[in-house]
Amino acid sequence: MRANESNAKLNAKLSAKLKSSPMARGATRLKTIAKAGSKPSVTAELRVSPALAPMANSFSNIGSPSLRLLTLLEAIAQSEKPQTLAQLVVRLDEPKATMHRLLLGLEEMRFVQRMPGGRHFAPGPRLNTLAIDTLRHSHISAQRHSILKRLVSDFNESCNLTILDGIEVVYLDRAEANWPLRMDLKPGSRVPAHCSASGKMILALMNPSIRDPLIKALPYQAYTPQTITDPNDFQTELDRIARRGYSIDQQEYAAGLNCLSVPVLDDNGQCIAAVAVHAPTARLSMNEALKKIDRLRWAASAISATLQNQGINQ
């Protein structure tokens, strides 16, 4: 008899704990949504849960360890310059010991990396790769490709969309012109930043605190006689690009190839990508390309809008 009473009390306690658990509360909210006639979805739940709004409330109020890690990654990725442990502690209102432990785990997995000096944290190679793959395989990519195809019809030459990953430029998308002679650079291809119009464009508008270490790390390998191999000359070139708002590559990466690039800007005026056209010098001179630079700028603005719709350009 006493055993039955004890078991009944234990079951009652377990039942009460389960009903008050986050999973049970989430299930109750989803049931309420379903009764109201709307389709239950994770998206709907995320929108109504204030604890999941990144940095809207205290970081410590986010109960799920996975969501806390994602919020930390988002904070690092959104920062204009690398963040110190102390800055992240203040920004996310998290105990220093906990923040340090989270950062060490992310660093070990290469989602974040320490900048020279060891005090500042920036997005790591795995986080960069994740961002690139997300952009390349998004449903929005079809819209961006359509914009590039319209640009190809304006120039009758191949056009591309690129981003910077470390000291390399990565092709997110590319639309080809119908020419037998052309450079074959498929999405995912990488080229050196120091001798490509797009790489120089993005570097020229980058925050100096992030750009300067990258410039020092550049190999400055000469691919043609026109490649800039002196760091001081390269800095002068970046200053020139920042002033005029476009970048050119006149046979710096490949002999006989010209390239013109303009920036893709976010709502804050930060350069997040670059749009470019390139062609053999025999078919497209730089003067002729510059006459159509407004079409490149139109494409950059249109692509910026697609990134905003994807939740990146915010």
Side-chain angles (χ1 to χ4, degrees), residues 81-255:
K81 57 185 179 180
Q83 299 286 288
T84 65
L85 171 62
Q87 288 172 325
L88 290 169
V89 166
V90 172
R91 183 173 178 180
L92 298 176
D93 190 23
E94 180 73 4
K96 184 176 180 180
T98 302
M99 183 64 68
H100 186 253
R101 184 177 68 253
L102 294 174
L103 286 170
L104 287 180
L106 290 172
E107 183 182 18
E108 183 178 356
M109 296 293 290
R110 299 171 63 238
F111 280 104
V112 302
Q113 60 184 345
R114 292 179 194 255
M115 301 300 289
R119 296 184 62 249
H120 293 79
F121 293 89
R126 285 189 69 180
L127 183 57
N128 291 336
T129 299
L130 178 62
I132 292 168
D133 289 342
T134 301
L135 285 171
R136 285 175 54 203
H137 297 102
S138 164
H139 67 283
I140 304 294
S141 63
Q143 295 181 28
R144 293 195 289 265
H145 191 72
S146 176
I147 294 167
L148 289 178
K149 288 177 69 175
R150 289 181 62 181
L151 198 58
V152 168
S153 66
D154 291 330
F155 283 91
N156 198 25
E157 296 294 349
S158 299
C159 299
N160 56 69
L161 171 66
T162 60
I163 62 172
L164 190 68
D165 183 21
I167 59 174
E168 293 180 314
V169 168
V170 181
Y171 281 71
L172 286 183
D173 200 358
R174 179 178 168 86
E176 298 283 1
N178 190 25
W179 289 102
L181 177 61
R182 62 187 182 220
M183 179 171 283
D184 187 23
L185 289 169
K186 295 180 173 58
S189 299
R190 294 172 176 264
V191 299
H194 73 285
C195 55
S196 66
S198 294
K200 292 189 296 180
M201 183 75 260
I202 300 172
L203 285 170
L205 300 183
M206 186 178 288
N207 187 300
S209 64
I210 301 176
R211 180 187 64 203
D212 292 347
L214 289 176
I215 292 178
K216 293 178 181 178
L218 291 173
Y220 295 106
Q221 177 182 345
Y223 288 84
T224 73
Q226 281 69 44
T227 304
I228 300 174
T229 57
D230 180 83
N232 293 327
D233 291 342
F234 189 70
Q235 182 63 63
T236 300
E237 170 75 349
L238 295 184
D239 293 340
R240 184 184 303 115
I241 292 169
R243 287 194 303 269
R244 69 190 180 196
Y246 65 85
S247 175
I248 62 175
D249 159 17
Q250 292 183 286
Q251 306 185 69
E252 295 175 38
Y253 176 61

